[in-house]
Amino acid sequence: NGNDVAREVLEPLRKVRSIRQKPAHAIVGDEYDYKYPDEQDQLLGSATRALTKLRLILSSHPRARDRYSPPPWLDSDNIVFY
């Protein structure tokens, strides 16, 4: 279903935008919490999956199929979250 795919691609990107908007338009003090690294890993993972799906959707377009081939490293699972 196209709606499900659109939601899978757009929701993580919207979440990144909403999280970034708040501190971009306000002055907030520095704070540290041990939950932030885990939340960041989850956010980066979902954004990476969303961008991968978007790239696969766009590369399957008839005009792009023969003209585009991704570099081999792009589809590898070498992303490490620290």
Side-chain angles (χ1 to χ4, degrees), residues 1-16 46-47 49-51 53-54 57:
N1 185 343
N3 293 330
D4 293 337
V5 174
R7 187 176 66 247
E8 289 175 15
V9 170
L10 295 178
E11 278 302 313
L13 301 178
R14 286 180 177 146
K15 186 172 183 177
V16 169
S46 64
R49 286 187 295 277
L51 292 173
K53 289 175 187 174
L54 180 61
I57 291 167

Side-chain angles (χ1 to χ4, degrees), residues 55-66:
R55 182 181 56 79
L56 291 173
I57 291 167
L58 294 175
S59 67
S60 69
H61 187 276
R63 290 186 180 173
R65 279 189 207 141
D66 298 329

Side-chain angles (χ1 to χ4, degrees), residues 5-36:
V5 174
R7 187 176 66 247
E8 289 175 15
V9 170
L10 295 178
E11 278 302 313
L13 301 178
R14 286 180 177 146
K15 186 172 183 177
V16 169
R17 184 183 66 196
S18 70
I19 290 171
R20 288 183 51 85
Q21 274 182 334
K22 293 174 189 171
H25 298 287
I27 298 174
V28 293
D30 289 339
E31 75 178 71
Y32 183 81
D33 192 334
Y34 287 105
K35 69 178 182 179
Y36 291 146

